[in-house]
């Protein structure tokens, strides 16, 4: 809400097309392909692939995680940033990114969703240890652990994503990033 924002989901399995009942014209794999062919055309291809819900633009996630495993993620993210089309880029990082340390170096803030469970806390601790061993101490300072509310909204319809934006989770997310209050 505070500026033009692009959401990129890099999870391995998202089911976006099924959840949101969308038949996307292109996705993150296509954008990476265009980047490999000619990085100067990324802005044009990005406009063709991006979808919008309210004021949030998003690139439909890829369907084949192999594409993400073989791409130098930081290079195409840099190219998207260089287009100047977006003030904010939110990257939902999954576990298939080739070099996570290089990718999160770009980030101003790293939000780590927390569950109030022993196992989850141990996983986050292991991630922080990984950063220490990778000599990425400056990245630890960027980490903010958040505990978003869990809305178990399980209603299947065409407005699912919009409902999520204005749910307790959406309100919490806006509050965490400083985007204001409720709609």
């Amino acid at each position: 809400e505070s500026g033009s924002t692009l959401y990129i989901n890099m999870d391995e399995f998202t089911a976006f097309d099924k959840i949101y009942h969308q038949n996307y014209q292109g996705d993150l794999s296509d954008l990476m392909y265009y980047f490999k062919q000619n990085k100067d055309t990324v802005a044009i291809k990005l406009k063709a692939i991006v979808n919008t819900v309210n004021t949030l633009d998003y690139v439909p996630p890829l369907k084949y995680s192999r594409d993400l495993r073989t791409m130098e993620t930081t290079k195409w993210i840099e190219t998207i940033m260089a287009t100047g089309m977006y003030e904010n880029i939110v990257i939902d990082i999954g576990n298939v990114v080739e070099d996570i340390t290089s990718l999160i170096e770009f980030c101003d803030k790293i939000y780590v969703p927390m569950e109030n469970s022993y196992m989850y806390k141990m996983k986050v601790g292991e991630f922080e240890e990984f950063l220490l061993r990778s000599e990425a101490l400056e990245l630890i300072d960027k980490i903010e652990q958040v505990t978003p509310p869990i809305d178990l909204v399980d209603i299947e319809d065409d407005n699912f994503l919009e409902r999520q934006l204005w749910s307790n989770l959406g309100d919490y997310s806006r509050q965490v990033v400083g985007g204001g209050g409720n709609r």
Side-chain angles (χ1 to χ4, degrees):
E1 294 175 339
S2 63
S4 56
T5 302
L6 177 66
Y7 171 72
I8 302 172
N9 186 307
M10 299 172 109
D11 275 335
E12 190 166 17
F13 305 107
T14 64
F16 261 55
D17 57 339
K18 293 172 182 64
I19 294 169
Y20 305 125
H21 303 285
Q22 294 287 325
N23 193 5
Y24 297 114
Q25 297 299 313
D27 63 22
L28 188 54
S29 292
D30 296 311
L31 188 60
M32 291 188 297
Y33 172 80
Y34 295 133
F35 172 80
K36 286 180 186 177
Q37 299 304 311
N38 182 356
K39 69 179 187 175
D40 296 330
T41 64
V42 167
I44 296 165
K45 301 302 182 183
L46 185 61
K47 286 181 183 179
I49 291 174
V50 161
N51 285 265
T52 304
V53 173
N54 285 340
T55 59
L56 177 68
D57 284 356
Y58 68 97
V59 175
L62 49 76
K63 288 192 177 218
Y64 305 104
S65 61
R66 187 176 312 153
D67 293 341
L68 196 53
R69 294 177 199 272
T70 60
M71 183 63 167
E72 291 183 51
T73 310
T74 55
K75 293 194 185 308
W76 62 265
I77 293 287
E78 280 180 321
T79 303
I80 291 172
M81 290 169 56
T83 67
M85 295 169 59
Y86 295 98
E87 295 173 50
N88 308 297
I89 298 177
V90 176
I91 305 169
D92 192 347
I93 301 172
N95 61 348
V96 295
V97 175
E98 184 178 329
D99 185 5
I100 193 168
T101 308
S102 295
L103 178 59
I104 62 178
E105 283 176 351
F106 288 107
C107 301
D108 295 326
K109 197 70 160 168
I110 303 164
Y111 296 102
V112 177
M114 290 294 297
E115 248 180 50
N116 214 0
S117 72
Y118 174 76
M119 187 66 97
Y120 210 80
K121 289 176 183 176
M122 293 299 105
K123 288 180 179 184
V124 171
E126 194 168 282
F127 173 63
E128 290 175 347
E129 286 177 30
F130 163 77
L131 293 176
L132 285 171
R133 282 181 296 200
S134 302
E135 298 179 9
L137 295 172
E138 71 281 357
L139 298 180
I140 291 176
D141 293 335
K142 294 180 177 184
I143 294 175
E144 182 175 332
Q145 295 180 4
V146 296
T147 307
I150 298 176
D151 286 342
L152 298 176
V153 179
D154 196 22
I155 301 169
E156 185 178 334
D157 70 17
D158 294 339
N159 296 321
F160 182 80
L161 185 55
E162 185 166 340
R163 266 199 332 279
Q164 294 302 308
L165 288 171
W166 302 110
S167 69
N168 290 335
L169 177 61
D171 292 342
Y172 177 82
S173 299
R174 281 186 293 284
Q175 189 175 38
V176 166
V177 297
N182 302 338
R183 179 174 150 180

